[in-house]
Amino acid sequence: MPRIDAHQHFWKFNPVRDSWITADMSVIQKDFMPEDLQPLLQANGMDGSIIIQSDQSEEENIFQLGNAQHNDFIKGVVGWVDLQSDGVAEKLAYYKQFGKMKGFRHVLQGEVDRALMLKPAFKNGIGLLKNFGFTYDILIYPDQLQYIPAFAAAFPDQPMVIDHLAKPYIRHGKIEEWKRDMQLVSKFENIYCKISGMVTEADWQSWKLNDFRPYLDVIVGSFGSKRIMFGSDWPVCLVAASYSAMMEIVQNYFSAFTASEQNLFFGENARAFYKLA
């Protein structure tokens, strides 16, 4: 079975555009390109990856589709479109011509309107995705989980995946409210969850493997083995962990699972969700 990293990024660092990469993240204030990732994938037994947008522009789509076109190990791209635009249907139709464009994401975690995903204009854009076979990546913070059941219920046939476990407060050990909300979200069978980005929510300097186990227990117990997928969040993860350290966290946890369950998590679920060739 192919092993897929379902969440990674590339960029040519621009301090103005990439202002979210703050001074305490100086280790990633540089370029990260396919030639940097490929040896890491190979060293960790991964066969391919999915690029996720990190800039909300159509220039980003062009850049990442170019990376995908020139590198066979890149199996898909999750880009960005203005879902609230009157012209979103035409944009989606345009991007359908690119076989590696698999879906789209909006940085909901950064929106002043925490319930933007429930606004009519945004929902109009989401409602068009399934017509073109596109997925949707949900990037939110825990305070926005309360809106996801209504969002998911409005689009029962739209494949969606929550990025980074919705960024729980791992460094503070807070879990109960997040746990309750994730269990409610998991009841919607069109919603998957990426087990990714955990180290950036932990203490960057002193996290331990056991810090993540309670959160992993919630996700696996709620979503089951068929709606979870691995993502490294490379290179963002480098602020707190190397690629191999990220792998060690999940390999340690899933080592007690069956080979079939491990295959689902490390690739088969991503392949099915993103309709990879």
Side-chain angles (χ1 to χ4, degrees):
M1 287 293 169
R3 288 161 60 93
I4 303 295
D5 181 342
H7 200 106
Q8 52 86 191
H9 307 281
F10 298 125
W11 59 71
K12 291 187 175 179
F13 181 66
N14 178 319
V16 175
R17 182 196 64 197
D18 304 324
S19 59
W20 62 273
I21 305 177
T22 50
D24 60 338
M25 305 168 76
S26 60
V27 68
I28 60 170
Q29 288 180 331
K30 63 177 186 176
D31 298 353
F32 289 94
M33 295 295 287
E35 58 268 27
D36 302 310
L37 177 61
Q38 188 171 23
L40 296 175
L41 293 177
Q42 291 174 336
N44 288 277
M46 305 303 289
D47 300 302
S49 69
I50 305 288
I51 307 172
I52 311 297
Q53 61 82 219
S54 54
D55 178 56
Q56 299 198 131
S57 69
E58 293 201 51
E59 289 78 15
E60 171 83 346
N61 296 340
I62 294 167
F63 172 62
Q64 303 298 7
L65 284 168
N67 287 326
Q69 179 184 350
H70 293 108
N71 294 275
D72 289 342
F73 76 87
I74 298 167
K75 305 304 182 185
V77 175
V78 173
W80 179 85
V81 291
D82 184 354
L83 291 164
Q84 301 179 85
S85 166
D86 290 340
V88 66
E90 289 77 12
K91 288 293 184 185
L92 295 175
Y94 169 76
Y95 285 116
K96 188 60 184 173
Q97 70 181 294
F98 301 98
K100 285 191 175 181
M101 185 64 92
K102 301 301 181 181
F104 294 93
R105 182 175 84 157
H106 185 85
V107 184
L108 288 167
Q109 70 176 30
E111 291 290 344
V112 173
D113 183 351
R114 308 307 283 161
L116 180 68
M117 71 290 285
L118 298 181
K119 293 295 186 284
F122 194 89
K123 290 172 73 176
N124 176 67
I126 294 291
L128 295 170
L129 293 177
K130 71 177 187 299
N131 298 342
F132 301 92
F134 288 129
T135 62
Y136 182 68
D137 269 58
I138 303 171
L139 180 63
I140 54 172
Y141 283 129
D143 70 293
Q144 295 168 294
L145 276 170
Q146 61 186 305
Y147 306 118
I148 300 305
F151 181 57
F155 308 102
D157 300 321
Q158 174 60 49
M160 304 185 193
V161 59
I162 293 179
D163 291 346
H164 311 325
L165 293 71
K167 299 194 168 183
Y169 307 113
I170 297 172
R171 68 172 57 87
H172 302 297
K174 292 174 61 178
I175 193 169
E176 289 306 321
E177 189 174 349
W178 169 87
K179 176 181 178 178
R180 181 201 67 206
D181 289 342
M182 284 301 264
Q183 288 173 334
L184 289 172
V185 167
S186 73
K187 296 183 186 301
F188 295 88
E189 294 191 357
N190 58 318
I191 304 281
Y192 286 60
C193 186
K194 286 184 185 175
I195 293 180
S196 60
M198 295 183 295
V199 292
T200 53
E201 306 313 311
D203 185 305
W204 292 0
Q205 277 75 46
S206 60
W207 60 263
K208 300 174 182 63
L209 285 176
N210 283 338
D211 294 344
F212 307 106
R213 184 166 291 273
Y215 300 90
L216 290 168
D217 285 345
V218 170
I219 296 302
V220 178
S222 300
F223 287 85
S225 61
K226 295 184 178 179
R227 288 190 291 138
I228 55 174
M229 59 185 87
F230 167 70
S232 67
D233 199 27
W234 180 94
V236 183
C237 68
L238 298 178
V239 301
S242 66
Y243 196 104
S244 60
M246 281 292 301
M247 289 295 297
E248 183 183 3
I249 294 168
V250 290
Q251 286 174 333
N252 176 273
Y253 183 84
F254 284 98
S255 63
F257 288 66
T258 67
S260 176
E261 289 169 327
Q262 292 184 49
N263 286 338
L264 288 168
F265 171 66
F266 281 110
E268 190 58 26
N269 292 337
R271 189 193 63 78
F273 180 83
Y274 286 116
K275 298 185 177 69
L276 305 183

